[in-house]
Amino acid sequence: MTGKVYSALANRDREFGPFLQAPSTGEGEWRHWHLGRDDQNIAWLVMDKADTSTNVLSEALLRELDALLDRLRDDLPKALVIRSAKDNGFCMGADITQFRDLDSREQAEQKLSDAHRVAQKLVDLPCPTIAVIHGAALGGGLELALCCDFRLAVPGASFGTPEVQLGLHPGLGATVRLPALIPPVDAMTMMLTGKNLHDARALSLGLIDQLVEERHIAAAVMAAANGKIEKAERTGWKSKPFEHALARQLAGKRMRSQAADKAPPEHYPAPEALIRLWEDHADDPETMLRREVESFAGLLQTHTSRNLVRVFFLREKLKAQAKAPAEDLADMPELRHIHVIGAGEMGGDIAGWCALKGYVVTLFDMQPETLADAVGRAARLCRSKHLSPAETRDVLDRLIPDLANHGVSRADLVIEAVPEDLEIKRKVYADVEPLLKPSAILASNTSSIQLEQLREHLDSPERLVGIHFFNPVAKMQLVEVVAHDRASASTLAQARRFVGQIDRLPAPVSSAPGFLVNRALTPYLVETICLLDEGVDAEAIDQVALDFGMPMGPAELADQVGLDICLDVAEMLRERLDTQQPATPEWLRRKVESGELGRKSGKGLYEWKEGKPRKRSTYEAAPADTLDRLVLPMLNACQACLREKVIEDADLLDGAMIFATGFAPFRGGPMQYAGTRGEDEILSRLQELRGTYGERFTPDAGWQTDAR
């Protein structure tokens, strides 16, 4: 049987042949695990969570592991190997769906204690234990591997503790076992940032013992079972000082400062809880494991964690939009060739991202230097993603400059990314449409022009769709997929699927002025201009937003977007929505006319140096009502979008705003925040602001109880 097991592993098909059908030792049927022994009496315990393509640590899976470990202890093998039957990795962590079922701290502590008991059984098993890891070992998956004596990784494996992204810290022993295995500061950095380690770095730190090609796993497992494995070097001298509380406190002070820069403790309590746990108990592992359970259970009940868990499911809901019904895609060929028209900042970066994600991309522009700049940015993108020279060459080979626009006739998807001007876009469509393949899709990256206007002179308007990326393309996860009433279901489904295939989150929205994100964001930026016009310092306005939890202030954001774009969108919305938005101040018009556009020109509301705004450290505090003046117009616009069915529901809206604008994730999204604060209070406060500042604060009809 050994040959069959390893042959399947070497082929990476994860089939395991008859090994998965009937354990050779007759040790029973298990729903989430497969257990068998080879002819060397090495037990292979294969994780294969039922009814899912991904391993996660559910209560049922751990309960089976508990029983399996009892059986193995009673009939001890020469060694135990744990690995995954899933193609996509070892284990992605805890089953987060079960977090929602934990109603109290006491219940959470009990469940965690049960999981710790199972983990300790693995630690205590009196034979060598070996985790063989391919793909990702994250969160609880990594913690399970840390319970083993040896960790062997296949090239390409990655390791991480992403719990901080859920407002938590590790809860299955990593707070003790990870700093005991690798240098404590590196372990704490992993847990505080949630960033992954890739294979070579994990080996250099001692997180894994060997990095082994799949075909050599058999020999490495045998060596570990026989005590002949060459284990990774442990850097004990880096750990020794932290056996003393004073050294931990000094290091903890620096960790607090660094964590607070990214995650203020008043909003994100998990980093502080982890640092305190390490400072107080790292010299007593047994106590620290117990305190880890108590701390994790307490964090799980906080509003921050509950909202961040909600954000996790909002992401999953957006990802699911890429999975179209089969009937909608029945007549649609696979997208293989993307053609982008316009190699400016947006078009060039869209093309580079699509090439990075494996597509053949032709990129048209009439200016050779613009095409050259786009290719240069794509090369820098590859470097930022740590691609090898060979991988970078493959990406750049797929990105084909096209001065003659020849790619149009061969493309499956054509993305227009020319300036935001209706007549320019119509001219492009008139030139392009006759050249398109019958099955090709025509997409616009427009940020504000309604598709009803863009389609007017098209012969086949059913193939037109909006695919609206946000800047910077390589960092912004959300893409609006914009529908109009003549777009075919297959066009929309193919567009959503494409967005998912390039590792982005599709937000289905209807063709309305500003769509969703710009419609909601513009009142926030307009009110910033009003505050500036009243003499409030930009730094003070930004600080109010930062204190609320935004990733950057609105004045800095306006400069990032470009004051010219902000001005165009604001005037378009004023015209098309007939809002009571105040007139644009002359000083802002003069800035735009003189080329002071923000980050891209080096000067706007701030001066910019090396990609960063220069802000004063001292300024007068903003008025007390600044936060409501900024945030409530955004919420009001979100309510209007829901009422007008610009987007289907509040969950999709919250997810879109979080992943497109960075709306304070720990607050769960604009509508979740409105619900927490109370919609009646939002309505009342908008009416007060209307009385003080004017009609732009008029509450949307959707806030009225009888309109909901």
Side-chain angles (χ1 to χ4, degrees):
M1 187 186 70
T2 307
K4 291 181 181 179
V5 172
Y6 285 126
S7 175
L9 289 173
N11 291 331
R12 298 193 61 80
D13 60 8
R14 309 290 172 217
E15 293 293 339
F16 291 89
F19 177 63
L20 294 187
Q21 303 302 318
S24 63
T25 54
E27 293 170 271
E29 294 294 332
W30 308 95
R31 181 165 167 74
H32 304 293
W33 297 88
H34 306 280
L35 175 62
R37 301 197 190 206
D38 63 23
D39 50 17
Q40 300 297 313
N41 195 29
I42 294 175
W44 288 78
L45 187 54
V46 182
M47 196 182 337
D48 189 15
K49 190 172 189 303
D51 304 321
T52 178
S53 62
T54 301
N55 282 327
V56 291
L57 298 185
S58 66
E59 184 177 359
L61 183 144
L62 287 171
R63 192 162 48 242
E64 284 191 7
L65 177 59
D66 188 19
L68 283 160
L69 290 172
D70 284 342
R71 184 162 298 188
L72 288 164
R73 185 187 58 210
D74 293 341
D75 183 11
L76 201 64
K78 180 175 183 176
L80 170 65
V81 179
I82 297 179
R83 74 169 312 176
S84 164
K86 307 295 189 184
D87 285 331
N88 56 10
F90 182 74
C91 180
M92 302 301 286
D95 183 353
I96 296 171
T97 61
Q98 297 187 348
F99 287 3
R100 290 177 160 180
D101 300 331
L102 300 174
D103 298 325
S104 68
R105 180 170 181 159
E106 292 72 25
Q107 186 183 20
E109 285 189 18
Q110 183 59 57
K111 297 292 186 185
L112 281 165
S113 296
D114 290 344
H116 268 250
R117 181 179 52 77
V118 177
Q120 193 61 43
K121 278 188 182 180
L122 179 57
V123 171
D124 294 339
L125 197 68
C127 69
T129 51
I130 306 154
V132 177
I133 300 159
H134 72 275
L138 305 178
L142 174 57
E143 290 180 288
L144 190 66
L146 291 174
C147 294
C148 295
D149 300 315
F150 301 93
R151 280 153 300 282
L152 310 178
V154 176
S158 59
F159 309 84
T161 52
E163 292 87 350
V164 70
Q165 296 168 16
L166 299 175
L168 303 166
H169 55 59
L172 194 57
T175 63
V176 171
R177 296 186 182 106
L178 192 58
L181 190 66
I182 68 175
V185 171
D186 292 292
M188 290 294 289
T189 299
M190 274 187 71
M191 292 186 283
L192 288 168
T193 64
K195 292 181 179 178
N196 288 359
L197 290 183
H198 294 286
D199 48 16
R201 179 61 175 158
L203 181 64
S204 69
L205 286 176
L207 179 57
I208 58 176
D209 296 293
Q210 287 190 353
L211 191 57
V212 186
E213 293 289 346
E214 188 70 54
R215 64 184 181 276
H216 298 310
I217 287 291
V221 164
M222 191 61 66
N226 290 324
K228 296 180 180 180
I229 194 168
E230 186 177 335
K231 289 179 68 68
E233 275 190 42
R234 307 295 181 215
T235 50
W237 63 273
K238 290 185 178 180
S239 304
K240 195 73 175 173
F242 299 107
E243 294 175 3
H244 304 284
L246 180 59
R248 295 197 299 273
Q249 288 165 5
L250 291 172
K253 182 178 181 181
R254 183 174 182 181
M255 291 174 189
R256 278 190 181 87
S257 175
Q258 292 173 336
D261 285 344
K262 299 288 185 182
E266 62 271 22
H267 299 323
Y268 298 94
E272 170 59 27
L274 174 61
I275 294 167
R276 188 180 305 152
L277 190 66
W278 181 66
E279 286 177 336
D280 293 347
H281 303 295
D283 54 355
D284 184 351
E286 187 175 333
T287 298
M288 190 165 173
L289 283 173
R290 189 170 64 252
R291 297 297 188 193
E292 177 193 85
V293 168
E294 296 169 0
S295 178
F296 187 100
L299 289 169
L300 202 56
Q301 303 305 309
T302 62
H303 288 297
T304 292
S305 181
R306 289 188 177 278
N307 278 331
L308 291 177
V309 168
R310 179 173 188 271
V311 170
F312 172 87
F313 288 105
L314 294 179
R315 178 195 289 273
E316 293 302 301
K317 184 167 183 174
L318 286 165
K319 285 169 64 175
Q321 304 305 306
K323 299 174 183 177
E327 59 268 22
D328 287 346
L329 292 168
D331 299 323
M332 300 298 289
E334 280 287 327
L335 300 183
R336 301 181 185 279
H337 181 167
I338 313 299
H339 183 72
V340 180
I341 299 174
E345 184 174 4
M346 285 300 295
D349 289 353
I350 291 168
W353 184 258
C354 291
L356 181 76
K357 291 300 172 180
Y359 285 98
V360 172
V361 184
T362 44
L363 176 60
F364 166 70
D365 201 281
M366 293 185 291
Q367 303 298 324
E369 59 273 18
T370 304
L371 287 168
D373 286 345
V375 172
R377 294 198 304 276
R380 291 193 292 276
L381 173 64
C382 292
R383 288 196 294 272
S384 74
K385 298 296 181 182
H386 308 291
L387 268 61
S388 69
E391 291 168 328
T392 298
R393 184 170 60 251
D394 288 344
V395 172
L396 297 181
D397 284 347
R398 290 193 293 269
L399 179 58
I400 304 165
D402 182 4
L403 280 165
N405 216 12
H406 289 316
V408 169
S409 60
R410 300 192 299 272
D412 304 302
L413 169 64
V414 174
I415 302 175
E416 164 268 303
V418 301
E420 197 75 348
D421 181 288
L422 178 60
E423 293 310 316
I424 292 176
K425 291 179 184 290
R426 283 177 172 170
K427 175 65 167 63
V428 168
Y429 298 167
D431 293 340
V432 163
E433 190 182 23
L435 304 175
L436 293 175
K437 295 194 303 188
S439 61
I441 294 172
L442 176 61
S444 176
N445 185 52
T446 179
S447 60
S448 60
I449 301 174
Q450 289 178 258
L451 270 65
E452 289 79 2
Q453 295 176 285
L454 293 176
R455 77 184 185 202
E456 277 188 8
H457 304 297
L458 289 176
D459 292 329
S460 301
E462 69 278 0
R463 71 164 76 192
L464 177 68
V465 65
I467 301 181
H468 176 215
F469 291 81
F470 294 90
N471 194 22
V473 172
K475 292 183 178 179
M476 302 302 290
Q477 298 179 55
L478 192 91
V479 175
E480 290 179 316
V481 177
V482 188
H484 58 98
D485 60 5
R486 294 184 65 185
S488 70
S490 57
T491 294
L492 297 172
Q494 185 77 296
R496 293 193 300 270
R497 184 170 70 170
F498 162 71
V499 171
Q501 287 173 337
I502 60 170
D503 196 26
R504 287 294 174 260
L505 301 173
V509 299
S510 63
S511 179
F515 313 136
L516 169 67
V517 174
N518 282 337
R519 169 87 169 271
L521 198 58
T522 298
Y524 175 69
L525 299 178
V526 165
E527 199 59 29
T528 301
I529 300 302
C530 291
L531 286 159
L532 290 168
D533 201 41
E534 293 167 16
V536 182
D537 291 330
E539 292 87 350
I541 300 168
D542 280 355
Q543 192 59 50
V544 168
L546 292 170
D547 290 344
F548 178 73
M550 297 297 198
M552 70 173 62
E556 182 178 344
L557 177 61
D559 267 1
Q560 286 272 14
V561 171
L563 298 184
D564 52 339
I565 295 172
C566 293
L567 182 58
D568 287 346
V569 173
E571 294 190 339
M572 178 275 296
L573 289 176
R574 184 193 297 116
E575 175 187 335
R576 297 182 191 171
L577 294 175
D578 192 27
T579 66
Q580 302 298 317
Q581 183 179 303
T584 303
E586 280 305 312
W587 61 265
L588 180 59
R589 287 192 181 280
R590 287 196 297 271
K591 270 187 175 294
V592 172
E593 289 167 1
S594 65
E596 295 182 12
L597 307 180
R599 183 179 183 271
K600 59 189 172 186
S601 67
K603 188 175 182 181
L605 301 178
Y606 293 110
E607 286 191 9
W608 290 74
K609 297 292 184 184
E610 298 178 350
K612 294 183 179 180
R614 300 182 66 179
K615 296 188 178 184
R616 294 170 297 171
S617 57
T618 58
Y619 46 83
E620 188 173 339
D625 62 359
T626 297
L627 178 61
D628 278 355
R629 287 182 62 181
L630 291 172
V631 173
L632 295 195
M634 181 192 295
L635 268 59
N636 207 33
C638 288
Q639 183 66 270
C641 287
L642 284 175
R643 178 177 53 79
E644 297 169 13
K645 301 298 183 184
V646 175
I647 194 163
E648 183 179 326
D649 59 44
D651 284 350
L652 284 174
L653 185 150
D654 279 347
M657 291 299 291
I658 288 169
F659 293 111
T661 73
F663 186 94
F666 72 94
R667 298 189 186 276
M671 302 316 296
Q672 177 79 351
Y673 169 69
T676 300
R677 185 166 170 179
E679 293 193 1
D680 289 338
E681 183 188 331
I682 299 290
L683 174 60
S684 174
R685 188 71 181 112
L686 281 167
Q687 289 168 336
E688 291 174 7
L689 291 169
R690 177 187 180 185
T692 305
Y693 296 105
E695 295 302 309
R696 66 183 182 274
F697 288 98
T698 299
D700 184 78
W703 296 113
Q704 304 292 338
T705 302
D706 59 354
R708 290 178 201 154

